[in-house]
Every structure is written in C-alpha cells, then in structure tokens.
Amino acid sequence: MINRIDEYRKQYGFYTVDEIISEVALENVVFDPYSLLISKSVHIGKDNIFYSNIVIKSDHDSLIKIGSHNTFFTNTYFVAENGGVIEVGNENIFSGGPISIKANMNQAQIIFNDEGRYDGNINVYGNCYFGRGSQILGNINVYSCKLEAGASYKDPDPDHRAGLIKGLGTAKNLVVPQGKVINGWHEFKQEQLEDQSHYHSKKRRAQ
C-alpha cells in the first residue's frame, strides 16, 4: 500500500513518505508524514512545524519559498501554479483553518513577511503583501490586499502593530496601515479603518 501511495506522490511531484521523514523532517517538525504533501520544488527552511492534513503544492513554472520557525496547523493549503509565487518569511502562524492560499495566475504574488498571525477560515488570492506582524482573523476572502508592516500581535501597544483585517466577508484591494484595523461584516471598505486601540487597550511595556 505504501509503495502505491508513493507512486502517486511521485506522479504528481510530491515528496514520498520516506522523503518527508528523511529530508523535510531532518530540520523541521513533522507530526504526520502520511498526511503532509509537499512538492519537491518547494524551498523550505528549518524549524518549521507541520501538523496533519497540509498541502503545499507548486508546479515547475511557479515558486513557493518558506522560511524558518513557521507553524502550519491542520487544514492549511498553499498552491502556486501558472507562474504564481508564494513566499513565507519566518515565525508566522497559520491556524484555525481551513486556510487556502492560491497564487494560480501568471504574475500573481502572495508575500507573507515575518511574525504574522493568520487565524480562521481564510482564502487568499491575487497579489497580496502582508508586512511583518500582519494579522488576518476570522472567516475572510482576501483579494489583492496590502497589510503594512509593524510590530506583532504580542506588542503591548496595539497602535504599533502591523495592519489587521478581521471579521467575516470579502476584503478586496485594501491597504491597511500600521496600527489600523478593518473590522468587516460581509463587505470590507477602505473607509472602515480604525485604530487598533479602539479594540485593545494599551499595556505598559515591561521595564
């Protein structure tokens, strides 16, 4: 049975189960090699954590590059096809799920910088840039948006944090500056920008 599964994996360009264990898990944490599908063309750093039921798929005309110290929880799906590009920096968290990231059109680029948090039922398409510390929280379809860089969600001053989109619905062609949030319900609009401190009080920094 395993031999047959590995033949399917080879046919579609994925690592075999043994290769996941001997190559990917050599410098990363893989909890379930049988439910992890990663294309052999994907560039992977080290100290990433992969939970079960994850697909990271790229064709030979496209690019997926993953840095280090990222956490991919269950039901995370990345696909780059037809010349698309997905880049994931370092120390990002993809959780909640299902999360679907698709750069499947020519020249589509989806960039996740570092220290981001993406939690919920999230679909991302088009050309997106998520700067350091960005957050997407909720059940959201994201098309060609930019979240400007800032501090991570751990920073005690919410107005120093990176751009944030949260809520339920569709966010399209939006730019969210540092310290700002769009809290949408069905439709997200640029004029809905608010200070993040409207939702989270500022905390005193540790001395």
Side-chain angles (χ1 to χ4, degrees), residues 164 166 176 179-183 192-196 199:
L164 162 63
K166 67 177 183 176
V176 183
K180 300 295 184 180
V181 55
I182 296 180
N183 183 11
Q192 292 174 308
L193 281 172
E194 300 176 276
D195 292 334
Q196 292 189 35
Y199 297 93

Side-chain angles (χ1 to χ4, degrees), residues 68-160:
S68 301
H69 300 280
N70 299 288
T71 302
F72 302 87
F73 282 92
T74 298
N75 295 329
T76 303
Y77 177 63
F78 287 70
V79 59
E81 296 176 331
N82 306 312
V85 174
I86 298 174
E87 294 187 16
V88 178
N90 305 310
E91 299 183 52
N92 295 284
I93 299 172
F94 299 89
S95 61
I99 294 177
S100 176
I101 314 297
K102 292 184 179 180
N104 55 359
M105 297 181 294
N106 187 31
Q107 298 185 340
Q109 291 192 343
I110 300 174
I111 310 296
F112 298 88
N113 204 280
D114 302 333
E115 300 180 15
R117 181 172 66 151
Y118 310 96
D119 188 350
N121 183 348
I122 299 167
N123 298 290
V124 178
Y125 308 95
N127 289 289
C128 293
Y129 179 82
F130 306 125
R132 178 186 293 270
S134 297
Q135 297 183 77
I136 302 174
L137 309 175
N139 297 339
I140 305 175
N141 299 312
V142 180
Y143 297 86
S144 298
C145 290
K146 179 180 181 180
L147 305 181
E148 295 187 352
S152 79
Y153 71 95
K154 299 177 182 179
D155 193 280
D157 187 342
D159 292 337
H160 288 170

